Amino acid sequence: MSSSSSAYEKRSWFMRWLSKFFKGGSSNRGQAGGTHHRPPQFIGDENMVLRAPVRSLQDNRSRTDKEKEELDQAISISLAEGLKKPIGFGWRPNNEDDHSKAVQDDPHSSYPPYIPREYQPTGYRVCGGCNRDIGYGNYLGCMGAFFHPECFRCRGCRYPITEHEFSLSGKDAYHKTCFKDLTHPKCEVCLQFIPTNGAGLIEYRCHPFWSQKYCPVHEHDNTARCCSCERLESVNTRYVSLGDGRSLCLDCMESAIMDTGDCQPLYHTIRDYYEGMNMKLDQQIPMLLVEKQALNEAIVGEKQGFHHMPETRGLCLSEEQTVASIQKKPKMGGHGLIGMRTQPQKLTRRCEVTAILVLYGLPRLLTGAVLAHELMHSWLRLKGYRNLNPEVEEGICQVLSHMWLESEITPCLGSSSTSAAPSSSSSASKKGGKSRVENKLGEFFMHQIANDTSAAYGGGFRAANAAVNMYGLRRTLDHIRLTGSFPM
């Protein structure tokens, strides 16, 4: 006989026995104190024999108590059979009449049989959410436990889970949408879920400093990238177009320097920084802010062919040239700049250095870092350092740029990684405190210098910085003058 037919026979027997108990139990009883036994009695077509309960003469308990005990035992057996069924994910009806009818109509139902409330055993089902007895109202069987419908809640949004499909993480249940929101990364550019690649894996790009995650396609779909901090433009923000192919984010725009006049105080501050390290520049070197096109034209006009980065932001001129410098800073017009005025300026060579050119529109700290780098080129040429390898010259210039940034971000420490004099940070201490955004930008510019992958700027900086940390800036410069290389 199959397990389903056996369970059905037991339920049928149990339901008929309950019916006999409540309707005709008194006619089946023997006389009090007697030993009369009823003969075996067959019930319908079932192959089960129901014997009337026998009461012993030595049993001092009342007949009612004895019958209740037998009834409880029968209920426990029936419930135990029901619990052997697999625990599924479904709702149990609360209406007792509908429940009883459902059991009669479906002989293979996994619901427990109808039991009058006064005979329900306590502690049968405990809610896994609130730890209270469930009783025989609506409940949910899931993950090896039982729950009130309102207690089976999403770990993410804390609202009840009513769908037939949900997600699990350990022992925590989630709506499928909530689980995706928590675990599936979103692109910070298009704000959509990052799609899977051909292998079914989630593939994305992530900026090494800002941790900006984005779809790989945005590297090639003309999404604007800030020319200063390198972050991509998001659909809910608008970058400022500088008019020469560059864009600037709003964080960098806050401290951007737009014309030559506005840059003069910063230029003199960095010259003072050099003087504080006993590296005074005796010549008055012109400094101009220019557009990208003017800078590129000046690079072509240089005969010496110095090494430059793919994205050049500054230049130390050695030849006589005519350069269009920015005399009037532009104003905001929509999402771009308007009203810029440039003026051609003829640069005459009076020493080894003609002028220093810097791109306009960069934040103050990045503009200062470029100026510090180009002023080091000027100092080397004015002091007679000739024919240096790109790794040596660009490396030591990057060290001075990094040192200045460090003094601006942590003025109380000064140039802790070098032998610079304490007065080198005096200019920084005179300025007001910087915003959190500007300090973070300064950290990024230092990170860029330290992690540059090019041989001249990256490898040269790391070699120069190691020498300065070990021997100090002055001894390192003396060694470069004599040997053209860094001390080992």
Side-chain angles (χ1 to χ4, degrees), residues 118-425:
E118 59 268 24
Y119 293 105
Q120 292 178 3
T122 60
Y124 167 44
R125 291 185 180 92
V126 176
C127 176
C130 64
N131 294 323
R132 297 176 183 171
D133 289 343
I134 293 178
Y136 291 93
N138 289 349
Y139 71 90
L140 172 67
C142 182
M143 302 186 298
F146 299 99
F147 297 89
H148 293 109
E150 65 275 11
C151 293
F152 189 60
R153 294 177 176 265
C154 172
R155 178 75 173 180
C157 68
R158 309 308 300 176
Y159 283 98
I161 299 175
T162 58
E163 295 85 356
H164 287 284
E165 292 184 354
F166 56 94
S167 298
L168 281 177
S169 177
K171 295 183 179 180
D172 297 326
Y174 295 85
H175 293 110
K176 294 188 73 175
T177 54
C178 293
F179 188 74
K180 188 174 183 179
D181 286 338
L182 290 173
T183 59
H184 194 124
K186 274 189 176 182
C187 174
E188 297 179 35
V189 174
C190 64
L191 305 183
Q192 302 298 316
F193 288 111
I194 296 176
T196 56
N197 59 18
L201 302 175
I202 299 173
E203 180 183 357
Y204 60 89
R205 302 290 183 266
C206 184
H207 194 280
F209 183 84
W210 302 107
S211 299
Q212 183 188 36
K213 298 183 179 67
Y214 55 91
C215 304
V217 69
H218 298 312
E219 292 187 337
H220 314 289
D221 63 358
N222 297 322
T223 299
R225 185 186 294 271
C226 179
C227 64
S228 169
C229 68
E230 297 185 347
R231 286 176 289 187
L232 291 173
E233 182 183 47
S234 173
V235 294
N236 58 0
T237 61
R238 292 291 293 175
Y239 284 5
V240 178
S241 174
L242 296 179
D244 55 3
R246 295 179 296 145
S247 297
L248 204 63
C249 73
L250 298 182
D251 286 344
C252 294
M253 189 69 188
E254 284 184 3
S255 61
I257 298 178
M258 292 297 183
D259 63 29
T260 301
D262 285 347
C263 194
Q264 293 302 320
L266 177 61
Y267 178 49
H268 291 296
T269 294
I270 298 173
R271 288 179 64 102
D272 292 342
Y273 176 80
Y274 271 77
E275 187 174 349
M277 294 188 295
N278 198 25
M279 295 173 62
K280 185 177 179 180
L281 290 154
D282 298 325
Q283 303 291 332
Q284 292 298 321
I285 304 172
M287 187 279 304
L288 304 176
L289 250 61
V290 298
E291 292 181 274
K292 185 176 181 179
Q293 182 180 356
L295 184 65
N296 291 337
E297 291 175 354
I299 292 174
V300 174
E302 281 291 287
K303 296 179 180 179
Q304 297 187 34
F306 288 104
H307 187 274
H308 297 287
M309 296 179 66
E311 179 64 29
T312 301
R313 292 163 171 163
L315 178 65
C316 179
L317 280 180
S318 298
E319 304 295 331
E320 292 187 355
Q321 296 192 39
T322 299
V323 178
S325 65
I326 298 175
Q327 298 299 314
K328 181 182 177 182
K329 63 182 177 182
K331 298 179 181 179
M332 287 292 298
H335 296 291
L337 300 176
I338 58 175
M340 179 189 297
R341 187 172 66 194
T342 62
Q343 179 178 346
Q345 186 164 345
K346 183 174 179 60
L347 301 173
T348 303
R349 179 175 179 178
R350 294 185 175 89
C351 60
E352 290 293 326
V353 180
T354 305
I356 292 175
L357 307 182
V358 179
L359 277 178
Y360 91 99
L362 301 178
R364 177 186 177 275
L365 289 179
L366 181 54
T367 303
V370 174
L371 281 171
H373 179 101
E374 300 304 331
L375 275 174
M376 190 59 190
H377 279 300
S378 303
W379 188 89
L380 290 172
R381 295 179 195 177
L382 292 174
K383 297 300 180 182
Y385 288 74
R386 307 289 183 184
N387 302 320
L388 297 178
N389 291 329
E391 290 80 2
V392 174
E393 183 165 352
E394 299 298 346
I396 196 65
C397 290
Q398 286 290 76
V399 166
L400 267 295
S401 179
H402 193 276
M403 286 169 54
W404 181 81
L405 283 170
E406 187 177 27
S407 71
E408 287 288 301
I409 295 174
T410 55
C412 59
L413 298 179
S415 300
S416 58
S417 62
T418 68
S419 60
S423 61
S424 63
S425 63

